[in-house]
Amino acid sequence: NIDNLTTSTDDHSDLQSSINSILEKTYYNVETHSSESLDWFNVLVAQTINQFRLEALMSDNIVHSLDDFLAKAELPDFLDQISITELDIGDDYPIFSNCRITKNPLNPQNLQAKIDVDLSDTLTLGIETNLLLNQPKPLTACLPVQLSVSIVRFSGCLTVSLISVNDEGITNEEDKSGKGTALMFSFAPDFRLEFSIRSLIGSRSKLENVPKIGSLIEHQLKSWFIERCVEPRSQVIRLPSMWPSRKNVREPVINEDNNTNANE
Amino acid sequence: NIDNLTTSTDDHSDLQSSINSILEKTYYNVETHSSESLDWFNVLVAQTINQFRLEALMSDNIVHSLDDFLAKAELPDFLDQISITELDIGDDYPIFSNCRITKNPLNPQNLQAKIDVDLSDTLTLGIETNLLLNQPKPLTACLPVQLSVSIVRFSGCLTVSLISVNDEGITNEEDKSGKGTALMFSFAPDFRLEFSIRSLIGSRSKLENVPKIGSLIEHQLKSWFIERCVEPRSQVIRLPSMWPSRKNVREPVINEDNNTNANE
């Protein structure tokens, strides 16, 4: 359904020469070109994340989304409902670097950018639940559990490409616009996702650390990530048209003599 | 309606310190950082344009769009209906370079990337119409006109930023998803857009070049561009969420033993 995955072998040499022509006309030699920095991109992304954090602080929409997610999550039968007690949305930003174009080994007519991503930040989620002991019979005991899960480090190699998409496969109900461009991205399997997990179990008089629960949570979070965007899986996100249109025009409001320009 | 345009002066110093924090944490000094290359981006964009051209060659959808556009265009009363006789969609690619982060002078709490864009390509549109002479009375004469308009060069400085958008202003009927991120871009007024225009008028026995018609077309095309994305006007295009979701997952189809993975 994605054009670059369904090319027949007949077109192979044509596409190969078209790839070579693209690289020539953009002055890019995949063998010799040095990798490029993305400092400008880091600034723009950081600004967006900062805005997102400011808005999250003003409302509690993240807590609501997470509560919904946890309410729907499939939990093992020894865990009670989970409620959120602590949330830290971090104060640092991801650093993208070392961007280079490579040929896709699985699909030689597709050029992709590989980018290193590094995030050293503390994103903490604190939760409270009950550990249900179902042996020898259901609900033999119900022990309160406090958990604090922090993501302290993420690093990985991100692969990005722009692909052409058509009606099938990518189009969903809201988006019937047919052909267009999509951003495809995935992370290499050797990513690092490090957690710091504290788990306290029992009543206040007798707290004990239970590493088992921590590793269960860690496994769940890593699986969530792997199932969505770690090779061979990719995320394919259709991009809106960048063609200048009148409906997307914005101009600054002119305040002098109360003369405001139309903003539509 | 756009958050960064409606900030009250009370928040100004807060936002200024938050901008400084962003720049510090992304290791970017706007005064001293050298500009960055975008060669990788040129390759990805070229690949998309190449795909677009391949698809345009397979169907004649560009001719149809242009025919529709010309049919709706407001023409001066001395021009008859315009039909397309020639179309060259080019074979070169835009080159983006020299990317640097600057503070927005009109809005100091917004950081933007400035990027030089250069395109040397020949994009030609050949049309046929009739010149209607309405003096001394309507339709005194009707002279066949052949025109060929080529864009041979574009260069300009592109300003790009990511902004936070909310419900009002940016949301249209199809997109009721509320807050999100938008790409804002515009070109500096000193852009270069060079045309090569040939105009032939009259019957085959007596052809004459009429520069007036050429400059009229040139003016129309430049106005189209200026009205949409030249400062102080910007294009604001809402971006889809990049958060990994199950519905956007794609994985390669496995052909061995006819075992195909679900592609959604």
Side-chain angles (χ1 to χ4, degrees), chain A residues 25 33 36-37 39 91 250, chain B residues 25 33 36-37 39 91 169:
Chain A
K25 286 176 179 172
H33 200 292
E36 295 173 277
S37 58
D39 299 347
D91 62 0
R250 293 293 177 281
Chain B
K25 286 174 178 170
H33 200 292
E36 295 173 277
S37 58
D39 299 348
D91 62 1

Side-chain angles (χ1 to χ4, degrees), chain A residues 11-68:
Chain A
D11 304 328
H12 187 276
S13 64
D14 269 9
L15 280 162
Q16 194 53 56
S17 80
S18 119
I19 288 296
N20 291 339
S21 161
I22 287 169
L23 290 170
E24 197 181 307
K25 286 176 179 172
T26 54
Y27 316 105
Y28 202 105
N29 183 328
V30 289
E31 312 297 335
T32 60
H33 200 292
S34 55
S35 70
E36 295 173 277
S37 58
L38 290 165
D39 299 347
W40 65 275
F41 185 67
N42 295 333
V43 173
L44 295 189
V45 168
Q47 186 167 241
T48 305
I49 292 173
N50 183 57
Q51 185 68 37
F52 171 77
R53 282 179 181 142
L54 289 176
E55 283 162 13
L57 289 175
M58 288 189 278
S59 59
D60 55 352
N61 48 10
I62 301 183
V63 174
H64 282 143
S65 318
L66 281 171
D67 261 334
D68 288 354

Side-chain angles (χ1 to χ4, degrees), chain B residues 252-262:
Chain B
V253 175
I254 293 164
N255 286 320
E256 302 165 279
D257 63 27
N258 284 339
N259 219 346
T260 50
N261 282 349

Side-chain angles (χ1 to χ4, degrees), chain B residues 97-152:
Chain B
S97 63
N98 200 22
C99 180
R100 61 276 180 200
I101 293 287
T102 59
K103 291 184 183 179
N104 182 345
L106 297 173
N107 181 18
Q109 61 271 23
N110 179 237
L111 296 164
Q112 29 182 234
K114 291 199 177 282
I115 301 172
D116 294 339
V117 187
D118 202 340
L119 177 63
S120 293
D121 199 0
T122 302
L123 304 163
T124 299
L125 178 63
I127 58 162
E128 214 167 58
T129 184
N130 290 298
L131 188 63
L132 310 172
L133 299 185
N134 295 318
Q135 299 295 336
K137 57 179 186 177
L139 291 178
T140 301
C142 170
L143 279 175
V145 174
Q146 285 177 34
L147 261 174
S148 158
V149 182
S150 301
I151 298 174
V152 292

Side-chain angles (χ1 to χ4, degrees), chain A residues 117-133:
Chain A
V117 186
D118 202 339
L119 177 63
S120 294
D121 199 0
T122 303
L123 304 163
T124 300
L125 177 63
I127 57 162
E128 214 167 58
T129 185
N130 290 298
L131 188 62
L132 310 173
L133 299 184

Side-chain angles (χ1 to χ4, degrees), chain B residues 24-37:
Chain B
E24 198 181 307
K25 286 174 178 170
T26 53
Y27 316 104
Y28 202 105
N29 184 328
V30 289
E31 312 297 333
T32 60
H33 200 292
S34 56
S35 69
E36 295 173 277
S37 58

